[in-house]
Amino acid sequence: MENKVLIFGHKNPDTDSICSSIVHEILDKKNGWNNTKAVRIGNVNKETQYVLKYLQMEIPELIEEVEEGQEVILVDHCNFDQSVDGIENAKIISVTDHHNIGNFRTSEPLYYNAKPYGCTSTILYEDFKKFNHKIDKKEAILMLSAIISDTLLLKSPTTTQYDKKALEELAKIAEIDVNEYGMEMLKAGTDVKEYSEEQLINLDAKDFNKGDVKYRVAQINIISIDDVLKREEEIKTVINKTIEENGLDLFVFAITDILNSNSEIIALGKMVDIIKPAFGKDLVNDRVFLPGVVSRKKQLVPDIDKNI
Amino acid sequence: MENKVLIFGHKNPDTDSICSSIVHEILDKKNGWNNTKAVRIGNVNKETQYVLKYLQMEIPELIEEVEEGQEVILVDHCNFDQSVDGIENAKIISVTDHHNIGNFRTSEPLYYNAKPYGCTSTILYEDFKKFNHKIDKKEAILMLSAIISDTLLLKSPTTTQYDKKALEELAKIAEIDVNEYGMEMLKAGTDVKEYSEEQLINLDAKDFNKGDVKYRVAQINIISIDDVLKREEEIKTVINKTIEENGLDLFVFAITDILNSNSEIIALGKMVDIIKPAFGKDLVNDRVFLPGVVSRKKQLVPDIDKNI
């Protein structure tokens, strides 16, 4: 078993999951706790690669599963379906998160610090303030990259005043033009040409359970929705294969236009009938266009969840 | 629907549940949030009555259930099995708690502030500090009463350094002899002569679920275990009736000697066989003596939970 307390975000990690893990470890050390270590439980996407390359930082070590009793710290998720293999038997010391609480349970009390903000790094930014720790340039860029990623440059409806304030102050410390840096970073993540259809639907996929219903909501950020829709038939084929292999009742794939803040969704599976009550629009050829929808957490999952 | 955001602790509220609800409302007002209201979801026990009488305070209003969409704040619990009727369809704004997370889920992000301390009021005490609010005598007595109750005057293994520190500082503000006040308060709660057997097993009862297994762990604090065991047969009869009426797989009734820090437990139900692996001792006539065991949360429930 790993001696250190492992810190990690969700499967198919996004920039918040990776950056917040790293920042959590830094914060622990500032608080005199030297026994924690940021790791990741999945591949680093191109957007996050851009950030780490910009900072000339190493990609955290990959952990595939944890042994029974392994001490862990979760950031940017709590849902066991989205966590590391073996999480049910790990010892969860603490959680720092900004999601709803779904499939999560512990047998003992723990530290749980959740706020309904746009980004986990905004919570960590407030922790820096709470403990009166100075934030250096590198730390500021890690946190502001996570905020830009999760809020799509403050345009997502998940954005709160706290994210805005944090981004503003972090940008000052980083001495960076947030819009310029942010667009470059986001665009790096939308370069999906060389991905296979299988990779496309797994880049940022999250599983959810409600009662006996299992569903997955995958999302990609993109500059042109049409570029992805050119590959629609191949994408549907791999989605149907995934549904079968994983016993899913529903697979929702959101293709999100980050410039215009809209999403086209492809929905497949035996529970597709809930798309109509959830979003008020009929699926046509398994697809529906959702204007203004960019957030899985705030716009897609709650409406799906309520209709199950 | 109640316009205010309702703050409440668990069913069969203890002193922490009641006092932390009241203190949470006070803290909200100090933070400029005037729209919250402390209520209770069950009868106030004699220990808590002692505290409120000492402070010449009114007992909070009783709420039996909440309507769909009612905004609520949970303190001292999160488990839906221990919460108000209708909680599944309420809008949970925040939780301040010191328990494990079991049967709890929300469809949207929320504030969640949990720490593995001995008492919810210790977390609220730290919140007073965080926001630089002054604590007055009444507030100090509310919080220290909760800490004394939950930690049995710092003797329970759930006690942390944070509870000790909080109790020490609150006692100074309250200008109170903690041991003298605390023993009077605890003793007021152990006066169970006039309770029926049915009332005895419901004074402080909590329900738990794991998979398909439903179990209840009830506890009473007492000066003399023998005084309660005189009524053993009648108690077993009402426990068996409760098991049948509620479809429970296990009922554990802990009679806790607060002076000597031991418990005698009575266990009934079709899953009593897990008592042996959980506590390493055989039941004799449905009973077993557990030296040093005083905490449901830290000593009883984790060991039961692990063996289900």
Side-chain angles (χ1 to χ4, degrees):
Chain A
M1 196 178 343
E2 179 79 47
N3 272 330
K4 294 209 168 184
V5 182
L6 301 177
I7 311 166
F8 49 84
H10 51 76
K11 270 182 187 155
N12 308 310
D14 58 7
T15 299
D16 188 26
S17 272
I18 299 293
C19 291
S20 286
S21 299
I22 296 170
V23 170
H24 200 297
E25 182 189 326
I26 293 170
L27 195 54
D28 293 337
K29 293 210 171 15
K30 285 181 195 275
N31 286 332
W33 192 24
N34 293 307
N35 197 32
T36 67
K37 178 183 168 187
V39 296
R40 64 188 164 95
I41 64 168
N43 293 329
V44 168
N45 67 32
K46 288 187 180 175
E47 183 191 280
T48 312
Q49 284 173 26
Y50 176 92
V51 177
L52 295 178
K53 202 175 160 194
Y54 186 93
L55 289 168
Q56 297 181 291
M57 286 181 72
E58 303 249 325
I59 293 173
E61 186 186 329
L62 177 68
I63 295 287
E64 306 267 17
E65 63 177 323
V66 294
E67 286 176 48
E68 189 175 340
Q70 172 68 50
E71 294 188 316
V72 301
I73 289 169
L74 309 188
V75 298
D76 193 29
H77 77 297
C78 63
N79 198 320
F80 285 177
D81 302 303
Q82 294 151 15
S83 198
V84 74
D85 291 350
I87 188 68
E88 292 82 1
N89 299 312
K91 183 167 169 53
I92 302 169
I93 303 293
S94 83
V95 178
T96 303
D97 190 23
H98 66 129
H99 293 87
N100 68 313
I101 299 181
N103 180 15
F104 180 83
R105 63 175 292 148
T106 65
S107 57
E108 295 198 42
L110 74 165
Y111 285 93
Y112 204 107
N113 181 19
K115 296 179 182 179
Y117 292 177
C119 180
T120 310
S121 271
T122 305
I123 303 172
L124 293 172
Y125 162 82
E126 292 189 355
D127 285 346
F128 269 86
K129 294 276 165 187
K130 189 172 79 182
F131 294 114
N132 286 317
H133 294 312
K134 226 179 146 232
I135 298 170
D136 71 19
K137 258 194 186 184
K138 188 184 79 177
E139 292 151 7
I141 292 172
L142 285 166
M143 287 189 269
L144 70 78
S145 298
I147 296 171
I148 290 167
S149 173
D150 267 17
T151 65
L152 297 174
L153 259 170
L154 306 180
K155 283 198 292 186
S156 165
T158 55
T159 310
T160 67
Q161 54 173 311
Y162 309 102
D163 304 299
K164 283 181 193 161
K165 185 166 170 269
L167 183 57
E168 201 176 302
E169 293 197 23
L170 292 167
K172 270 184 210 153
I173 296 167
E175 294 174 334
I176 219 169
D177 180 325
V178 162
N179 285 308
E180 194 183 317
Y181 171 82
M183 276 316 293
E184 285 306 310
M185 186 197 95
L186 290 172
K187 274 186 189 162
T190 65
D191 175 20
V192 297
K193 273 187 227 83
E194 66 193 60
Y195 286 121
S196 69
E197 286 76 23
E198 190 127 16
Q199 287 173 316
L200 275 188
I201 65 162
N202 282 304
L203 270 178
D204 179 10
K206 288 188 181 176
D207 283 341
F208 301 90
N209 273 284
K210 187 172 182 184
D212 293 332
V213 176
K214 273 182 72 175
Y215 65 103
R216 183 173 296 181
V217 184
Q219 185 172 30
I220 53 166
N221 293 333
I222 208 80
I223 303 290
S224 156
I225 289 175
D226 285 339
D227 273 0
V228 180
L229 288 182
K230 278 180 200 155
R231 301 159 73 178
E232 181 177 354
E233 288 314 311
E234 294 86 347
I235 289 171
K236 284 186 190 170
T237 305
V238 295
I239 289 178
N240 279 322
K241 194 170 146 241
T242 304
I243 288 172
E244 200 164 311
E245 286 172 359
N246 296 275
L248 300 173
D249 299 293
L250 179 68
F251 192 119
V252 174
F253 181 49
I255 307 158
T256 299
D257 175 345
I258 59 164
L259 292 184
N260 302 299
S261 301
N262 302 311
S263 291
E264 178 87 21
I265 71 166
I266 298 175
L268 292 166
K270 61 173 184 264
M271 287 194 61
V272 286
D273 287 349
I274 70 158
I275 296 297
K276 178 72 193 287
F279 303 108
K281 285 176 89 172
D282 279 311
L283 283 175
V284 179
N285 294 328
D286 313 313
R287 280 168 36 196
V288 62
F289 182 71
L290 301 178
V293 170
V294 296
S295 166
R296 169 171 45 204
K297 188 174 78 167
K298 199 96 175 180
Q299 297 173 304
L300 293 170
V301 172
D303 287 334
I304 295 169
D305 185 87
K306 275 172 205 150
N307 285 282
I308 288 173
Chain B
M1 198 180 336
E2 179 79 45
N3 272 329
K4 295 211 168 183
V5 182
L6 302 177
I7 311 165
F8 48 83
H10 51 76
K11 271 182 186 156
N12 308 311
D14 59 8
T15 299
D16 189 25
S17 271
I18 298 293
C19 292
S20 287
S21 299
I22 297 170
V23 169
H24 200 297
E25 183 189 327
I26 293 170
L27 195 54
D28 293 337
K29 293 209 170 18
K30 284 182 195 275
N31 287 331
W33 193 23
N34 293 307
N35 198 33
T36 66
K37 178 183 168 188
V39 297
R40 65 188 162 96
I41 65 169
N43 293 331
V44 168
N45 67 31
K46 288 189 180 172
E47 182 191 281
T48 313
Q49 284 173 27
Y50 176 91
V51 177
L52 295 177
K53 203 176 160 193
Y54 185 94
L55 289 168
Q56 296 181 295
M57 286 181 73
E58 303 249 326
I59 292 173
E61 187 187 328
L62 176 69
I63 296 287
E64 306 266 17
E65 62 178 320
V66 294
E67 286 177 45
E68 189 175 340
Q70 172 68 50
E71 294 186 316
V72 301
I73 290 169
L74 310 187
V75 299
D76 194 27
H77 77 299
C78 64
N79 199 320
F80 284 179
D81 302 302
Q82 294 151 15
S83 197
V84 73
D85 290 351
I87 188 67
E88 292 82 0
N89 299 311
K91 184 168 168 50
I92 303 169
I93 303 293
S94 83
V95 178
T96 303
D97 190 23
H98 66 128
H99 293 87
N100 69 313
I101 299 182
N103 179 16
F104 180 83
R105 62 174 292 146
T106 66
S107 57
E108 296 198 42
L110 74 163
Y111 286 92
Y112 205 109
N113 181 18
K115 296 179 183 178
Y117 292 177
C119 180
T120 309
S121 272
T122 305
I123 303 172
L124 293 172
Y125 163 81
E126 291 189 355
D127 285 346
F128 268 86
K129 294 277 165 185
K130 188 172 79 183
F131 293 114
N132 285 317
H133 294 311
K134 223 178 147 236
I135 298 170
D136 71 18
K137 257 191 186 186
K138 188 184 79 177
E139 292 151 7
I141 292 172
L142 284 166
M143 287 190 269
L144 68 79
S145 298
I147 297 170
I148 290 167
S149 173
D150 268 17
T151 65
L152 297 176
L153 260 171
L154 305 181
K155 284 198 291 185
S156 166
T158 57
T159 310
T160 67
Q161 53 173 310
Y162 309 102
D163 304 299
K164 281 181 195 162
K165 185 167 171 270
L167 183 56
E168 200 177 302
E169 292 198 26
L170 291 167
K172 272 185 208 153
I173 296 168
E175 294 174 333
I176 219 170
D177 181 325
V178 163
N179 285 309
E180 193 183 319
Y181 171 82
M183 276 316 294
E184 284 307 309
M185 187 198 93
L186 289 173
K187 274 186 190 162
T190 64
D191 175 21
V192 296
K193 273 186 226 82
E194 67 192 61
Y195 286 121
S196 69
E197 286 76 25
E198 191 128 15
Q199 286 172 317
L200 275 189
I201 65 162
N202 281 304
L203 271 178
D204 179 10
K206 289 189 180 175
D207 281 342
F208 301 89
N209 272 283
K210 188 173 182 185
D212 294 333
V213 175
K214 275 181 73 176
Y215 65 102
R216 184 172 295 180
V217 184
Q219 185 171 29
I220 52 166
N221 293 334
I222 208 79
I223 303 290
S224 156
I225 290 175
D226 285 339
D227 273 359
V228 180
L229 288 182
K230 278 179 200 154
R231 299 158 75 179
E232 182 178 354
E233 288 314 311
E234 295 85 346
I235 290 171
K236 284 186 189 170
T237 303
V238 296
I239 289 177
N240 279 321
K241 193 169 148 242
T242 304
I243 288 172
E244 200 163 312
E245 284 171 359
N246 296 276
L248 300 173
D249 299 292
L250 179 69
F251 193 119
V252 174
F253 182 49
I255 307 157
T256 299
D257 174 346
I258 58 164
L259 292 185
N260 301 300
S261 300
N262 301 312
S263 292
E264 178 87 22
I265 71 168
I266 299 176
L268 292 164
K270 62 172 183 265
M271 286 194 63
V272 286
D273 286 348
I274 69 160
I275 295 298
K276 177 72 193 289
F279 303 108
K281 285 175 87 172
D282 279 311
L283 284 174
V284 179
N285 294 328
D286 313 314
R287 280 168 36 198
V288 61
F289 182 71
L290 302 177
V293 169
V294 296
S295 166
R296 170 171 45 203
K297 188 174 78 165
K298 200 96 175 177
Q299 298 174 304
L300 294 170
V301 172
D303 286 334
I304 294 170
D305 185 87
K306 275 173 208 152
N307 285 284
I308 289 174

